[in-house]
Amino acid sequence: MANSYGTVPTPYPATSPPPGNYPPPPGDRGRLWLLAGIGALVVAIVAIVATVVVMRDSGSTPSPTALPASTTKPVTTAPATTTPSSTLTPRIPGYQVVVPKDLKAAWDIPKDWTIDPSTTTYGTDADHLAAAGFSEEGVDYCPNNVRTNMFLSTSDISDATAAATDVGAHAARLGWSTRTSSQAGTPQPLDAGDNTLHGTFLETTGAFTAPTGCATTFSVYTFAVSAGPTNGSLVLVIVADTGVDRSVTPDFARKLFASFRLL
């Protein structure tokens, strides 16, 4: 099956997803349904971005830490809004730049991905991740399903590898309730921001049950950058149904993550 993400460096032809929110699918389909308006981790994200900016500008490097047995802990605050930048030039030609409001951070996404300023969390009332700079692609690629989402979140874990693993597992639990398997891959180093940011790339893969015509496998791609020994980590996240046309590949995820920069 052809996959434009894996074969060409430029965006595939645009197909605009329909607007609006989508109700949960019948049969407890495991794909995440996004609840707009719930308080996100904006305060935590702002604080960690600011810390990483200071570290970058001072040339310091976070010290390694032990891998704590911890889960990502959301902090509730006011929702953020996100709009495409009108002044920043994308690092990837032909793409658009995501710049979350009040955050000194940006990254590139394909031109035909839709930025959703109303979505500030990924999950449910009871269990969710912060989601700044939320975007989506492939809405209703099969009934009541979204193929790909991307957003910036945080972890209270300061070790980048542990943070990438933790958030990847958390997003997999949130995104696919009918999953039958989930496994973290091998962490890999990845540089972003013109090699000023050094983090960890990780792919968490799994399988799930789904209606005919929908994907039955998924990947959660995470890119974590530590903010120092006690300040947690920034984690850029891509959640994607895989094994279908236009699904995000590991190489394409790395390409998007490498465009992440602090402003």
Side-chain angles (χ1 to χ4, degrees):
M1 182 176 294
N3 187 329
S4 59
Y5 288 142
T7 57
V8 296
T10 54
Y12 52 76
T15 54
S16 299
N21 297 318
Y22 297 86
D28 190 31
R29 164 76 166 89
R31 198 70 171 98
L32 174 72
W33 298 100
L34 307 164
L35 302 181
I38 301 175
L41 297 181
V42 179
V43 169
I45 294 176
V46 169
I48 295 178
V49 168
T51 300
V52 177
V53 168
V54 170
M55 289 171 49
R56 177 202 60 183
D57 292 344
S58 65
S60 61
T61 301
S63 303
T65 60
L67 307 188
S70 175
T71 58
T72 304
K73 297 174 182 176
V75 177
T76 302
T77 184
T81 57
T82 307
T83 57
S85 171
S86 59
T87 58
L88 290 182
T89 301
R91 301 287 176 87
I92 306 173
Y95 281 40
Q96 60 181 317
V97 183
V98 179
V99 185
K101 184 180 180 181
D102 299 326
L103 294 184
K104 293 184 177 181
W107 59 93
D108 295 352
I109 60 173
K111 199 75 170 179
D112 64 337
W113 287 24
T114 300
I115 299 174
D116 181 0
S118 67
T119 296
T120 58
T121 58
Y122 185 83
T124 66
D125 276 314
D127 186 13
H128 54 268
L129 292 167
F134 188 90
S135 62
E136 61 187 2
E137 183 279 327
V139 174
D140 268 347
Y141 84 93
C142 75
N144 298 320
N145 284 271
V146 179
R147 183 166 38 228
T148 307
N149 294 126
M150 184 174 183
F151 55 90
L152 178 65
S153 194
T154 67
S155 172
D156 61 349
I157 300 173
S158 294
D159 181 272
T161 298
T165 303
D166 180 66
V167 172
H170 194 173
R173 292 195 304 271
L174 294 172
W176 295 272
S177 65
T178 61
R179 67 191 178 283
T180 56
S181 65
S182 181
Q183 180 176 357
T186 302
Q188 302 171 4
L190 181 67
D191 294 335
D194 291 332
N195 295 321
T196 61
L197 297 174
H198 311 291
T200 297
F201 171 87
L202 185 76
E203 180 186 10
T204 299
T205 59
F208 62 101
T209 58
T212 302
C214 298
T216 57
T217 58
F218 69 86
S219 288
V220 178
Y221 303 102
T222 46
F223 173 55
V225 178
S226 176
T230 61
N231 298 312
S233 299
L234 289 173
V235 186
L236 201 56
V237 183
I238 298 173
V239 289
D241 285 359
T242 57
V244 293
D245 192 25
R246 290 173 158 179
S247 57
V248 173
T249 63
D251 285 345
F252 189 72
R254 289 188 193 92
K255 178 179 179 177
L256 297 184
F257 288 157
S259 73
F260 182 64
R261 63 268 197 193
L262 302 178
L263 307 176

